[in-house]
Amino acid sequence: MPAAMQYPEGQVLSLDASSDPAHAVVEVAATFRCERCASGKGCGAGLLASDAAPRRVDALVDRQLDLHVGDRVRLELAGDSVLRAAGLVYGLPLGGAMAGAGLAWWSGAGDVAAALAALAGALAGISAGRRRLRRETCMQQFRPVVTARLEAS
């Protein structure tokens, strides 16, 4: 049976209920990892993250929740958003590496040239992913949602 995903919990630092959609700034511990990541069997997304300081996350708020500054809340990210993010972060560099190596093979280049072309393709994929993630419209789809109030302030 797969390990259950643990949803991050945090504390509401500020709340803007007048905006549409409503949103809140939530402070979340930076050390959050799912059980698979904690056991060393996860995707590795947290390998390069620092565990030093909590992070502030701008999250959408379900209008049905009665939230106040200081409340402890649970955050969730839609499953399809996680898949799209993984495609950007892992898929574009992998696709670039495969395209570079494929072009080098097709042109009859040697092994060293194919490796360099694969590296160049991976770097191009990383660059394309970073450019796309910098767009506000792209980041809107990866914004977490406050789904539950766990403890009142």
Side-chain angles (χ1 to χ4, degrees):
M1 185 169 132
M5 175 70 176
Q6 294 177 336
Y7 295 104
E9 297 174 1
Q11 184 173 18
V12 176
L13 297 178
S14 68
L15 185 63
D16 184 4
S18 63
S19 64
D20 189 33
H23 67 273
V25 175
V26 180
E27 187 173 68
V28 180
T31 57
F32 168 76
R33 289 191 183 95
C34 69
E35 291 177 21
R36 289 185 59 82
C37 289
S39 67
K41 299 176 185 173
C43 68
L47 289 178
L48 300 176
S50 72
D51 292 339
R55 297 180 187 188
R56 292 181 179 194
V57 177
D58 187 25
L60 301 175
V61 176
D62 185 347
R63 289 230 182 253
Q64 298 173 1
L65 291 175
D66 181 29
L67 290 182
H68 303 283
V69 173
D71 289 350
R72 294 218 34 94
V73 295
R74 177 183 311 129
L75 298 172
E76 293 184 18
L77 188 64
D80 62 333
S81 294
V82 174
L83 185 59
R84 283 194 305 269
L88 281 173
V89 173
Y90 298 115
L92 285 177
L94 178 61
M98 291 174 56
L103 285 173
W105 175 80
W106 182 72
S107 69
D111 291 344
V112 172
L116 291 174
L119 178 62
L123 292 174
I126 291 169
S127 176
R130 288 179 62 92
R131 275 194 315 269
R132 185 154 182 203
L133 286 170
R134 284 189 186 123
R135 293 186 209 151
E136 183 64 28
T137 55
C138 179
M139 289 308 293
Q140 292 293 336
Q141 65 184 330
F142 302 126
R143 187 176 283 184
V145 177
V146 176
T147 56
R149 183 172 79 172
L150 304 174
E151 182 180 309
S153 59

